[in-house]
Amino acid sequence: MSCDRELVDGMLRNETQAWSEFQSRYDRLIHRCITKVTRRFPSMVSGDDVFEIQAQLFLSLLSNEMHKLRTFDPERGNRFSSWLGLLAIHCAYDHLRSLRREPNKASLAEATDLACQLPDPFECVAERQRAAMAADMLDGFSEKDRAFATLYFDEELEPNEIAARMNISVKTVYSKKHKIQSRLESALSTAVEHAA
């Protein structure tokens, strides 16, 4: 493809060879025109933005049935390279304007430092499931053992408080806690075996 008009005509016919020729001829020029604009704004743009602008330019050439590409007219005295460079510069400024309109954003690294004050939803669901399983298992226990489990595991009272409320010794609180915990663990492992 020797002249600009032939190249553009081939691109408009969607010929693979024409688009490959376009890319090999003008890729560096487009990249250079974009970076000429963006390097003056290092705090606003990164290398990714340069590729984004280039992609936007290519998309603009293809959109609306290649309307923008059809507007190139060598009779106006412009070379295709000059016309493309101007489009790339305009596209870069459009991108910068769109960035300026966006609200200030924190970096992604700052997002990892954010902590939510609310409980973790997964933990909440897991806790409810554990409580439901424990309640099902405790159904087979005596009323006194269920009352003990509520005071020790749910209300998390101190052993001496439980001893006073239930009229038992502190030593009995520890042995009762161990027995109930063992029964719960045994019931849990049985439930897990039946589920699998």
Side-chain angles (χ1 to χ4, degrees), residues 132-182:
M133 286 175 74
D136 287 346
M137 290 176 208
L138 284 170
D139 277 347
F141 288 31
S142 70
E143 191 175 323
K144 196 170 185 180
D145 284 348
R146 284 197 305 271
F148 177 88
T150 300
L151 293 174
Y152 195 92
F153 298 109
D154 192 31
E155 294 182 24
E156 298 178 351
L157 295 179
E158 294 295 322
N160 57 349
E161 291 178 272
I162 296 171
R165 279 209 196 171
M166 296 194 76
N167 250 357
I168 56 176
S169 70
V170 174
K171 186 177 178 184
T172 305
V173 169
Y174 286 112
S175 65
K176 206 168 199 33
K177 176 237 172 194
H178 179 69
K179 285 179 189 173
I180 289 174
Q181 198 167 15
S182 295

mmCIF file of all heavy atoms in Angstrom, residues 132-182:
data_model
loop_
_atom_site.group_PDB
_atom_site.id
_atom_site.type_symbol
_atom_site.label_atom_id
_atom_site.label_comp_id
_atom_site.label_asym_id
_atom_site.label_seq_id
_atom_site.Cartn_x
_atom_site.Cartn_y
_atom_site.Cartn_z
ATOM 1 N N ALA A 132 -27.358 -22.734 65.896
ATOM 2 C CA ALA A 132 -28.479 -23.617 65.560
ATOM 3 C C ALA A 132 -28.092 -25.072 65.772
ATOM 4 O O ALA A 132 -28.878 -25.869 66.315
ATOM 5 C CB ALA A 132 -28.920 -23.386 64.117
ATOM 6 N N MET A 133 -26.856 -25.430 65.361
ATOM 7 C CA MET A 133 -26.397 -26.810 65.574
ATOM 8 C C MET A 133 -26.292 -27.133 67.055
ATOM 9 O O MET A 133 -26.704 -28.207 67.505
ATOM 10 C CB MET A 133 -25.036 -27.019 64.896
ATOM 11 C CG MET A 133 -25.113 -27.118 63.392
ATOM 12 S SD MET A 133 -23.467 -27.222 62.626
ATOM 13 C CE MET A 133 -23.017 -28.888 63.046
ATOM 14 N N ALA A 134 -25.748 -26.193 67.831
ATOM 15 C CA ALA A 134 -25.606 -26.402 69.278
ATOM 16 C C ALA A 134 -26.979 -26.545 69.928
ATOM 17 O O ALA A 134 -27.180 -27.418 70.777
ATOM 18 C CB ALA A 134 -24.832 -25.249 69.907
ATOM 19 N N ALA A 135 -27.946 -25.722 69.497
ATOM 20 C CA ALA A 135 -29.305 -25.809 70.059
ATOM 21 C C ALA A 135 -29.928 -27.163 69.752
ATOM 22 O O ALA A 135 -30.569 -27.779 70.618
ATOM 23 C CB ALA A 135 -30.173 -24.688 69.512
ATOM 24 N N ASP A 136 -29.732 -27.655 68.509
ATOM 25 C CA ASP A 136 -30.257 -28.981 68.139
ATOM 26 C C ASP A 136 -29.629 -30.071 68.992
ATOM 27 O O ASP A 136 -30.306 -30.998 69.445
ATOM 28 C CB ASP A 136 -29.978 -29.286 66.660
ATOM 29 C CG ASP A 136 -30.871 -28.475 65.727
ATOM 30 O OD1 ASP A 136 -31.864 -27.887 66.212
ATOM 31 O OD2 ASP A 136 -30.557 -28.427 64.518
ATOM 32 N N MET A 137 -28.325 -29.965 69.212
ATOM 33 C CA MET A 137 -27.625 -30.975 70.008
ATOM 34 C C MET A 137 -28.035 -30.926 71.478
ATOM 35 O O MET A 137 -28.134 -31.948 72.137
ATOM 36 C CB MET A 137 -26.119 -30.777 69.882
ATOM 37 C CG MET A 137 -25.573 -31.113 68.526
ATOM 38 S SD MET A 137 -23.819 -30.744 68.458
ATOM 39 C CE MET A 137 -23.631 -30.415 66.734
ATOM 40 N N LEU A 138 -28.270 -29.710 71.971
ATOM 41 C CA LEU A 138 -28.638 -29.554 73.385
ATOM 42 C C LEU A 138 -30.051 -30.041 73.683
ATOM 43 O O LEU A 138 -30.405 -30.251 74.847
ATOM 44 C CB LEU A 138 -28.488 -28.085 73.805
ATOM 45 C CG LEU A 138 -27.055 -27.603 74.031
ATOM 46 C CD1 LEU A 138 -27.020 -26.086 74.191
ATOM 47 C CD2 LEU A 138 -26.424 -28.281 75.242
ATOM 48 N N ASP A 139 -30.868 -30.227 72.618
ATOM 49 C CA ASP A 139 -32.235 -30.720 72.834
ATOM 50 C C ASP A 139 -32.258 -32.058 73.558
ATOM 51 O O ASP A 139 -33.184 -32.344 74.316
ATOM 52 C CB ASP A 139 -32.985 -30.854 71.497
ATOM 53 C CG ASP A 139 -33.574 -29.527 71.046
ATOM 54 O OD1 ASP A 139 -33.616 -28.582 71.866
ATOM 55 O OD2 ASP A 139 -33.974 -29.428 69.868
ATOM 56 N N GLY A 140 -31.238 -32.872 73.350
ATOM 57 C CA GLY A 140 -31.179 -34.188 73.999
ATOM 58 C C GLY A 140 -30.618 -34.143 75.412
ATOM 59 O O GLY A 140 -30.566 -35.170 76.087
ATOM 60 N N PHE A 141 -30.196 -32.998 75.878
ATOM 61 C CA PHE A 141 -29.608 -32.863 77.208
ATOM 62 C C PHE A 141 -30.714 -32.598 78.243
ATOM 63 O O PHE A 141 -31.817 -32.170 77.911
ATOM 64 C CB PHE A 141 -28.622 -31.695 77.250
ATOM 65 C CG PHE A 141 -27.323 -31.950 76.513
ATOM 66 C CD1 PHE A 141 -27.271 -32.769 75.411
ATOM 67 C CD2 PHE A 141 -26.156 -31.357 76.933
ATOM 68 C CE1 PHE A 141 -26.088 -32.996 74.731
ATOM 69 C CE2 PHE A 141 -24.962 -31.575 76.267
ATOM 70 C CZ PHE A 141 -24.926 -32.396 75.166
ATOM 71 N N SER A 142 -30.366 -32.788 79.504
ATOM 72 C CA SER A 142 -31.330 -32.495 80.574
ATOM 73 C C SER A 142 -31.522 -30.981 80.675
ATOM 74 O O SER A 142 -30.689 -30.201 80.205
ATOM 75 C CB SER A 142 -30.828 -33.044 81.911
ATOM 76 O OG SER A 142 -29.712 -32.271 82.348
ATOM 77 N N GLU A 143 -32.623 -30.589 81.334
ATOM 78 C CA GLU A 143 -32.922 -29.167 81.481
ATOM 79 C C GLU A 143 -31.814 -28.459 82.265
ATOM 80 O O GLU A 143 -31.418 -27.337 81.941
ATOM 81 C CB GLU A 143 -34.261 -28.983 82.191
ATOM 82 C CG GLU A 143 -34.758 -27.547 82.151
ATOM 83 C CD GLU A 143 -36.147 -27.398 82.749
ATOM 84 O OE1 GLU A 143 -36.978 -28.293 82.572
ATOM 85 O OE2 GLU A 143 -36.362 -26.359 83.401
ATOM 86 N N LYS A 144 -31.260 -29.147 83.272
ATOM 87 C CA LYS A 144 -30.192 -28.567 84.098
ATOM 88 C C LYS A 144 -28.922 -28.364 83.257
ATOM 89 O O LYS A 144 -28.252 -27.336 83.372
ATOM 90 C CB LYS A 144 -29.919 -29.491 85.289
ATOM 91 C CG LYS A 144 -29.134 -28.843 86.389
ATOM 92 C CD LYS A 144 -29.112 -29.708 87.621
ATOM 93 C CE LYS A 144 -28.418 -28.958 88.736
ATOM 94 N NZ LYS A 144 -28.348 -29.734 89.970
ATOM 95 N N ASP A 145 -28.610 -29.344 82.386
ATOM 96 C CA ASP A 145 -27.426 -29.220 81.524
ATOM 97 C C ASP A 145 -27.606 -28.101 80.489
ATOM 98 O O ASP A 145 -26.661 -27.381 80.164
ATOM 99 C CB ASP A 145 -27.133 -30.549 80.817
ATOM 100 C CG ASP A 145 -26.501 -31.567 81.752
ATOM 101 O OD1 ASP A 145 -26.090 -31.183 82.877
ATOM 102 O OD2 ASP A 145 -26.416 -32.755 81.369
ATOM 103 N N ARG A 146 -28.821 -27.951 79.975
ATOM 104 C CA ARG A 146 -29.084 -26.865 79.009
ATOM 105 C C ARG A 146 -28.934 -25.505 79.684
ATOM 106 O O ARG A 146 -28.375 -24.568 79.116
ATOM 107 C CB ARG A 146 -30.486 -27.008 78.394
ATOM 108 C CG ARG A 146 -30.576 -28.090 77.349
ATOM 109 C CD ARG A 146 -31.803 -27.952 76.460
ATOM 110 N NE ARG A 146 -33.058 -27.885 77.160
ATOM 111 C CZ ARG A 146 -33.804 -28.946 77.503
ATOM 112 N NH1 ARG A 146 -33.404 -30.164 77.181
ATOM 113 N NH2 ARG A 146 -34.931 -28.784 78.142
ATOM 114 N N ALA A 147 -29.439 -25.410 80.935
ATOM 115 C CA ALA A 147 -29.315 -24.152 81.686
ATOM 116 C C ALA A 147 -27.839 -23.850 81.940
ATOM 117 O O ALA A 147 -27.379 -22.706 81.793
ATOM 118 C CB ALA A 147 -30.075 -24.242 83.008
ATOM 119 N N PHE A 148 -27.063 -24.890 82.282
ATOM 120 C CA PHE A 148 -25.631 -24.698 82.510
ATOM 121 C C PHE A 148 -24.941 -24.225 81.226
ATOM 122 O O PHE A 148 -24.136 -23.294 81.256
ATOM 123 C CB PHE A 148 -25.002 -26.016 83.008
ATOM 124 C CG PHE A 148 -23.521 -25.909 83.205
ATOM 125 C CD1 PHE A 148 -22.996 -25.484 84.419
ATOM 126 C CD2 PHE A 148 -22.621 -26.203 82.178
ATOM 127 C CE1 PHE A 148 -21.620 -25.365 84.602
ATOM 128 C CE2 PHE A 148 -21.260 -26.069 82.344
ATOM 129 C CZ PHE A 148 -20.751 -25.656 83.566
ATOM 130 N N ALA A 149 -25.247 -24.880 80.096
ATOM 131 C CA ALA A 149 -24.631 -24.523 78.819
ATOM 132 C C ALA A 149 -24.947 -23.077 78.448
ATOM 133 O O ALA A 149 -24.089 -22.347 77.947
ATOM 134 C CB ALA A 149 -25.101 -25.467 77.719
ATOM 135 N N THR A 150 -26.177 -22.637 78.715
ATOM 136 C CA THR A 150 -26.563 -21.250 78.428
ATOM 137 C C THR A 150 -25.725 -20.279 79.247
ATOM 138 O O THR A 150 -25.199 -19.293 78.723
ATOM 139 C CB THR A 150 -28.065 -21.033 78.715
ATOM 140 O OG1 THR A 150 -28.805 -21.922 77.892
ATOM 141 C CG2 THR A 150 -28.484 -19.609 78.430
ATOM 142 N N LEU A 151 -25.579 -20.587 80.554
ATOM 143 C CA LEU A 151 -24.811 -19.688 81.428
ATOM 144 C C LEU A 151 -23.327 -19.676 81.052
ATOM 145 O O LEU A 151 -22.693 -18.621 81.033
ATOM 146 C CB LEU A 151 -24.963 -20.119 82.899
ATOM 147 C CG LEU A 151 -26.352 -19.975 83.511
ATOM 148 C CD1 LEU A 151 -26.386 -20.577 84.905
ATOM 149 C CD2 LEU A 151 -26.781 -18.519 83.555
ATOM 150 N N TYR A 152 -22.773 -20.857 80.742
ATOM 151 C CA TYR A 152 -21.330 -20.936 80.503
ATOM 152 C C TYR A 152 -20.945 -20.497 79.085
ATOM 153 O O TYR A 152 -20.053 -19.680 78.906
ATOM 154 C CB TYR A 152 -20.825 -22.362 80.767
ATOM 155 C CG TYR A 152 -19.320 -22.420 80.881
ATOM 156 C CD1 TYR A 152 -18.699 -22.302 82.118
ATOM 157 C CD2 TYR A 152 -18.516 -22.550 79.757
ATOM 158 C CE1 TYR A 152 -17.328 -22.317 82.234
ATOM 159 C CE2 TYR A 152 -17.140 -22.567 79.858
ATOM 160 C CZ TYR A 152 -16.545 -22.449 81.094
ATOM 161 O OH TYR A 152 -15.174 -22.454 81.211
ATOM 162 N N PHE A 153 -21.632 -21.058 78.072
ATOM 163 C CA PHE A 153 -21.218 -20.807 76.690
ATOM 164 C C PHE A 153 -21.889 -19.590 76.067
ATOM 165 O O PHE A 153 -21.276 -18.875 75.285
ATOM 166 C CB PHE A 153 -21.499 -22.043 75.816
ATOM 167 C CG PHE A 153 -20.734 -23.262 76.260
ATOM 168 C CD1 PHE A 153 -21.384 -24.324 76.857
ATOM 169 C CD2 PHE A 153 -19.360 -23.330 76.100
ATOM 170 C CE1 PHE A 153 -20.677 -25.448 77.270
ATOM 171 C CE2 PHE A 153 -18.649 -24.442 76.507
ATOM 172 C CZ PHE A 153 -19.312 -25.515 77.102
ATOM 173 N N ASP A 154 -23.159 -19.359 76.384
ATOM 174 C CA ASP A 154 -23.878 -18.259 75.751
ATOM 175 C C ASP A 154 -23.657 -16.947 76.505
ATOM 176 O O ASP A 154 -23.258 -15.948 75.925
ATOM 177 C CB ASP A 154 -25.366 -18.600 75.667
ATOM 178 C CG ASP A 154 -26.134 -17.657 74.765
ATOM 179 O OD1 ASP A 154 -25.530 -17.158 73.790
ATOM 180 O OD2 ASP A 154 -27.322 -17.406 75.037
ATOM 181 N N GLU A 155 -23.926 -16.963 77.811
ATOM 182 C CA GLU A 155 -23.782 -15.729 78.596
ATOM 183 C C GLU A 155 -22.340 -15.493 79.040
ATOM 184 O O GLU A 155 -21.999 -14.404 79.496
ATOM 185 C CB GLU A 155 -24.715 -15.778 79.811
ATOM 186 C CG GLU A 155 -26.186 -15.770 79.423
ATOM 187 C CD GLU A 155 -27.110 -15.759 80.628
ATOM 188 O OE1 GLU A 155 -26.670 -15.315 81.722
ATOM 189 O OE2 GLU A 155 -28.265 -16.201 80.479
ATOM 190 N N GLU A 156 -21.503 -16.532 78.938
ATOM 191 C CA GLU A 156 -20.085 -16.460 79.277
ATOM 192 C C GLU A 156 -19.826 -15.927 80.693
ATOM 193 O O GLU A 156 -18.962 -15.082 80.911
ATOM 194 C CB GLU A 156 -19.322 -15.625 78.237
ATOM 195 C CG GLU A 156 -19.376 -16.210 76.846
ATOM 196 C CD GLU A 156 -18.658 -15.371 75.792
ATOM 197 O OE1 GLU A 156 -18.251 -14.229 76.101
ATOM 198 O OE2 GLU A 156 -18.499 -15.863 74.665
ATOM 199 N N LEU A 157 -20.599 -16.460 81.639
ATOM 200 C CA LEU A 157 -20.411 -16.063 83.039
ATOM 201 C C LEU A 157 -19.162 -16.719 83.605
ATOM 202 O O LEU A 157 -18.720 -17.766 83.133
ATOM 203 C CB LEU A 157 -21.630 -16.464 83.875
ATOM 204 C CG LEU A 157 -22.963 -15.769 83.528
ATOM 205 C CD1 LEU A 157 -24.067 -16.288 84.436
ATOM 206 C CD2 LEU A 157 -22.845 -14.267 83.663
ATOM 207 N N GLU A 158 -18.619 -16.124 84.640
ATOM 208 C CA GLU A 158 -17.458 -16.693 85.336
ATOM 209 C C GLU A 158 -17.907 -17.932 86.110
ATOM 210 O O GLU A 158 -19.062 -18.018 86.558
ATOM 211 C CB GLU A 158 -16.869 -15.661 86.306
ATOM 212 C CG GLU A 158 -16.262 -14.445 85.625
ATOM 213 C CD GLU A 158 -15.059 -14.805 84.775
ATOM 214 O OE1 GLU A 158 -14.266 -15.683 85.186
ATOM 215 O OE2 GLU A 158 -14.918 -14.234 83.672
ATOM 216 N N PRO A 159 -16.994 -18.900 86.294
ATOM 217 C CA PRO A 159 -17.356 -20.139 87.002
ATOM 218 C C PRO A 159 -17.964 -19.906 88.389
ATOM 219 O O PRO A 159 -18.923 -20.585 88.771
ATOM 220 C CB PRO A 159 -16.031 -20.897 87.107
ATOM 221 C CG PRO A 159 -15.258 -20.425 85.915
ATOM 222 C CD PRO A 159 -15.647 -18.981 85.730
ATOM 223 N N ASN A 160 -17.421 -18.918 89.138
ATOM 224 C CA ASN A 160 -17.985 -18.681 90.478
ATOM 225 C C ASN A 160 -19.410 -18.122 90.398
ATOM 226 O O ASN A 160 -20.250 -18.407 91.261
ATOM 227 C CB ASN A 160 -17.071 -17.778 91.314
ATOM 228 C CG ASN A 160 -16.801 -16.437 90.655
ATOM 229 O OD1 ASN A 160 -17.126 -16.231 89.484
ATOM 230 N ND2 ASN A 160 -16.188 -15.531 91.404
ATOM 231 N N GLU A 161 -19.728 -17.347 89.350
ATOM 232 C CA GLU A 161 -21.099 -16.840 89.174
ATOM 233 C C GLU A 161 -22.054 -17.983 88.835
ATOM 234 O O GLU A 161 -23.179 -18.034 89.341
ATOM 235 C CB GLU A 161 -21.146 -15.797 88.051
ATOM 236 C CG GLU A 161 -20.451 -14.480 88.367
ATOM 237 C CD GLU A 161 -20.497 -13.518 87.187
ATOM 238 O OE1 GLU A 161 -19.590 -13.584 86.336
ATOM 239 O OE2 GLU A 161 -21.468 -12.732 87.120
ATOM 240 N N ILE A 162 -21.591 -18.893 87.979
ATOM 241 C CA ILE A 162 -22.429 -20.041 87.605
ATOM 242 C C ILE A 162 -22.667 -20.912 88.834
ATOM 243 O O ILE A 162 -23.797 -21.361 89.081
ATOM 244 C CB ILE A 162 -21.763 -20.856 86.475
ATOM 245 C CG1 ILE A 162 -21.659 -19.998 85.207
ATOM 246 C CG2 ILE A 162 -22.541 -22.136 86.194
ATOM 247 C CD1 ILE A 162 -20.824 -20.613 84.104
ATOM 248 N N ALA A 163 -21.604 -21.136 89.628
ATOM 249 C CA ALA A 163 -21.727 -21.955 90.844
ATOM 250 C C ALA A 163 -22.765 -21.354 91.781
ATOM 251 O O ALA A 163 -23.630 -22.069 92.324
ATOM 252 C CB ALA A 163 -20.378 -22.068 91.539
ATOM 253 N N ALA A 164 -22.733 -20.030 91.943
ATOM 254 C CA ALA A 164 -23.695 -19.361 92.839
ATOM 255 C C ALA A 164 -25.118 -19.470 92.297
ATOM 256 O O ALA A 164 -26.062 -19.721 93.052
ATOM 257 C CB ALA A 164 -23.297 -17.897 93.009
ATOM 258 N N ARG A 165 -25.305 -19.289 90.991
ATOM 259 C CA ARG A 165 -26.651 -19.329 90.400
ATOM 260 C C ARG A 165 -27.254 -20.729 90.421
ATOM 261 O O ARG A 165 -28.456 -20.883 90.600
ATOM 262 C CB ARG A 165 -26.606 -18.862 88.945
ATOM 263 C CG ARG A 165 -26.592 -17.367 88.810
ATOM 264 C CD ARG A 165 -27.240 -16.984 87.509
ATOM 265 N NE ARG A 165 -26.927 -15.614 87.158
ATOM 266 C CZ ARG A 165 -27.202 -15.058 86.020
ATOM 267 N NH1 ARG A 165 -27.772 -15.760 85.078
ATOM 268 N NH2 ARG A 165 -26.903 -13.811 85.786
ATOM 269 N N MET A 166 -26.398 -21.742 90.222
ATOM 270 C CA MET A 166 -26.922 -23.102 90.109
ATOM 271 C C MET A 166 -26.798 -23.881 91.420
ATOM 272 O O MET A 166 -27.149 -25.054 91.470
ATOM 273 C CB MET A 166 -26.213 -23.844 88.972
ATOM 274 C CG MET A 166 -26.481 -23.234 87.608
ATOM 275 S SD MET A 166 -26.003 -24.304 86.259
ATOM 276 C CE MET A 166 -27.324 -25.509 86.264
ATOM 277 N N ASN A 167 -26.255 -23.240 92.433
ATOM 278 C CA ASN A 167 -26.106 -23.893 93.743
ATOM 279 C C ASN A 167 -25.203 -25.128 93.660
ATOM 280 O O ASN A 167 -25.541 -26.188 94.192
ATOM 281 C CB ASN A 167 -27.469 -24.299 94.311
ATOM 282 C CG ASN A 167 -27.862 -23.459 95.498
ATOM 283 O OD1 ASN A 167 -27.098 -22.604 95.933
ATOM 284 N ND2 ASN A 167 -29.056 -23.709 96.018
ATOM 285 N N ILE A 168 -24.079 -24.980 92.987
ATOM 286 C CA ILE A 168 -23.101 -26.058 92.871
ATOM 287 C C ILE A 168 -21.722 -25.488 93.177
ATOM 288 O O ILE A 168 -21.548 -24.269 93.244
ATOM 289 C CB ILE A 168 -23.110 -26.712 91.462
ATOM 290 C CG1 ILE A 168 -22.873 -25.654 90.360
ATOM 291 C CG2 ILE A 168 -24.397 -27.468 91.199
ATOM 292 C CD1 ILE A 168 -22.773 -26.217 88.947
ATOM 293 N N SER A 169 -20.748 -26.364 93.358
ATOM 294 C CA SER A 169 -19.390 -25.889 93.664
ATOM 295 C C SER A 169 -18.685 -25.456 92.368
ATOM 296 O O SER A 169 -19.068 -25.868 91.273
ATOM 297 C CB SER A 169 -18.591 -26.994 94.359
ATOM 298 O OG SER A 169 -18.309 -28.028 93.430
ATOM 299 N N VAL A 170 -17.632 -24.671 92.523
ATOM 300 C CA VAL A 170 -16.854 -24.223 91.374
ATOM 301 C C VAL A 170 -16.194 -25.429 90.704
ATOM 302 O O VAL A 170 -16.110 -25.502 89.467
ATOM 303 C CB VAL A 170 -15.801 -23.170 91.793
ATOM 304 C CG1 VAL A 170 -14.885 -22.810 90.633
ATOM 305 C CG2 VAL A 170 -16.477 -21.906 92.318
ATOM 306 N N LYS A 171 -15.777 -26.412 91.513
ATOM 307 C CA LYS A 171 -15.174 -27.621 90.970
ATOM 308 C C LYS A 171 -16.178 -28.358 90.079
ATOM 309 O O LYS A 171 -15.830 -28.850 89.004
ATOM 310 C CB LYS A 171 -14.713 -28.519 92.125
ATOM 311 C CG LYS A 171 -13.958 -29.726 91.674
ATOM 312 C CD LYS A 171 -13.468 -30.518 92.876
ATOM 313 C CE LYS A 171 -12.758 -31.767 92.399
ATOM 314 N NZ LYS A 171 -12.338 -32.614 93.495
ATOM 315 N N THR A 172 -17.421 -28.385 90.490
ATOM 316 C CA THR A 172 -18.477 -29.041 89.696
ATOM 317 C C THR A 172 -18.701 -28.286 88.384
ATOM 318 O O THR A 172 -18.988 -28.891 87.357
ATOM 319 C CB THR A 172 -19.794 -29.114 90.512
ATOM 320 O OG1 THR A 172 -19.529 -29.769 91.752
ATOM 321 C CG2 THR A 172 -20.868 -29.851 89.763
ATOM 322 N N VAL A 173 -18.576 -26.958 88.424
ATOM 323 C CA VAL A 173 -18.727 -26.153 87.203
ATOM 324 C C VAL A 173 -17.708 -26.614 86.163
ATOM 325 O O VAL A 173 -18.060 -26.846 85.000
ATOM 326 C CB VAL A 173 -18.544 -24.642 87.497
ATOM 327 C CG1 VAL A 173 -18.437 -23.841 86.199
ATOM 328 C CG2 VAL A 173 -19.695 -24.118 88.342
ATOM 329 N N TYR A 174 -16.449 -26.773 86.573
ATOM 330 C CA TYR A 174 -15.407 -27.188 85.632
ATOM 331 C C TYR A 174 -15.642 -28.605 85.096
ATOM 332 O O TYR A 174 -15.495 -28.861 83.903
ATOM 333 C CB TYR A 174 -14.018 -27.083 86.280
ATOM 334 C CG TYR A 174 -13.550 -25.651 86.407
ATOM 335 C CD1 TYR A 174 -13.416 -25.043 87.654
ATOM 336 C CD2 TYR A 174 -13.245 -24.906 85.276
ATOM 337 C CE1 TYR A 174 -12.991 -23.727 87.769
ATOM 338 C CE2 TYR A 174 -12.821 -23.588 85.381
ATOM 339 C CZ TYR A 174 -12.696 -23.004 86.625
ATOM 340 O OH TYR A 174 -12.279 -21.697 86.727
ATOM 341 N N SER A 175 -16.024 -29.528 85.973
ATOM 342 C CA SER A 175 -16.237 -30.905 85.506
ATOM 343 C C SER A 175 -17.477 -30.981 84.612
ATOM 344 O O SER A 175 -17.490 -31.675 83.592
ATOM 345 C CB SER A 175 -16.350 -31.880 86.686
ATOM 346 O OG SER A 175 -17.499 -31.594 87.453
ATOM 347 N N LYS A 176 -18.544 -30.221 84.968
ATOM 348 C CA LYS A 176 -19.767 -30.197 84.152
ATOM 349 C C LYS A 176 -19.469 -29.591 82.777
ATOM 350 O O LYS A 176 -19.934 -30.087 81.746
ATOM 351 C CB LYS A 176 -20.843 -29.390 84.879
ATOM 352 C CG LYS A 176 -22.251 -29.761 84.530
ATOM 353 C CD LYS A 176 -23.161 -29.089 85.528
ATOM 354 C CE LYS A 176 -24.534 -29.655 85.639
ATOM 355 N NZ LYS A 176 -24.725 -31.051 85.434
ATOM 356 N N LYS A 177 -18.669 -28.534 82.767
ATOM 357 C CA LYS A 177 -18.297 -27.887 81.503
ATOM 358 C C LYS A 177 -17.552 -28.876 80.612
ATOM 359 O O LYS A 177 -17.836 -29.001 79.414
ATOM 360 C CB LYS A 177 -17.416 -26.670 81.793
ATOM 361 C CG LYS A 177 -16.882 -25.985 80.528
ATOM 362 C CD LYS A 177 -15.383 -25.957 80.581
ATOM 363 C CE LYS A 177 -14.826 -25.471 79.271
ATOM 364 N NZ LYS A 177 -13.408 -25.726 79.134
ATOM 365 N N HIS A 178 -16.620 -29.630 81.200
ATOM 366 C CA HIS A 178 -15.854 -30.598 80.431
ATOM 367 C C HIS A 178 -16.765 -31.702 79.870
ATOM 368 O O HIS A 178 -16.653 -32.070 78.692
ATOM 369 C CB HIS A 178 -14.746 -31.208 81.305
ATOM 370 C CG HIS A 178 -13.926 -32.232 80.597
ATOM 371 N ND1 HIS A 178 -13.056 -31.914 79.582
ATOM 372 C CD2 HIS A 178 -13.874 -33.582 80.738
ATOM 373 C CE1 HIS A 178 -12.497 -33.016 79.117
ATOM 374 N NE2 HIS A 178 -12.979 -34.044 79.815
ATOM 375 N N LYS A 179 -17.687 -32.216 80.687
ATOM 376 C CA LYS A 179 -18.595 -33.288 80.236
ATOM 377 C C LYS A 179 -19.507 -32.804 79.111
ATOM 378 O O LYS A 179 -19.689 -33.478 78.097
ATOM 379 C CB LYS A 179 -19.441 -33.787 81.411
ATOM 380 C CG LYS A 179 -18.699 -34.654 82.378
ATOM 381 C CD LYS A 179 -19.600 -35.080 83.524
ATOM 382 C CE LYS A 179 -18.787 -35.765 84.604
ATOM 383 N NZ LYS A 179 -19.600 -36.044 85.792
ATOM 384 N N ILE A 180 -20.085 -31.600 79.289
ATOM 385 C CA ILE A 180 -21.008 -31.064 78.269
ATOM 386 C C ILE A 180 -20.255 -30.784 76.973
ATOM 387 O O ILE A 180 -20.734 -31.100 75.889
ATOM 388 C CB ILE A 180 -21.735 -29.806 78.791
ATOM 389 C CG1 ILE A 180 -22.744 -30.208 79.873
ATOM 390 C CG2 ILE A 180 -22.428 -29.049 77.662
ATOM 391 C CD1 ILE A 180 -23.415 -29.057 80.570
ATOM 392 N N GLN A 181 -19.058 -30.232 77.108
ATOM 393 C CA GLN A 181 -18.259 -29.933 75.915
ATOM 394 C C GLN A 181 -17.916 -31.221 75.165
ATOM 395 O O GLN A 181 -17.997 -31.275 73.940
ATOM 396 C CB GLN A 181 -16.996 -29.177 76.324
ATOM 397 C CG GLN A 181 -16.334 -28.444 75.183
ATOM 398 C CD GLN A 181 -15.277 -27.453 75.678
ATOM 399 O OE1 GLN A 181 -14.837 -27.500 76.831
ATOM 400 N NE2 GLN A 181 -14.882 -26.566 74.811
ATOM 401 N N SER A 182 -17.559 -32.262 75.894
ATOM 402 C CA SER A 182 -17.238 -33.553 75.256
ATOM 403 C C SER A 182 -18.451 -34.120 74.549
ATOM 404 O O SER A 182 -18.348 -34.640 73.428
ATOM 405 C CB SER A 182 -16.745 -34.557 76.302
ATOM 406 O OG SER A 182 -15.527 -34.122 76.843
#
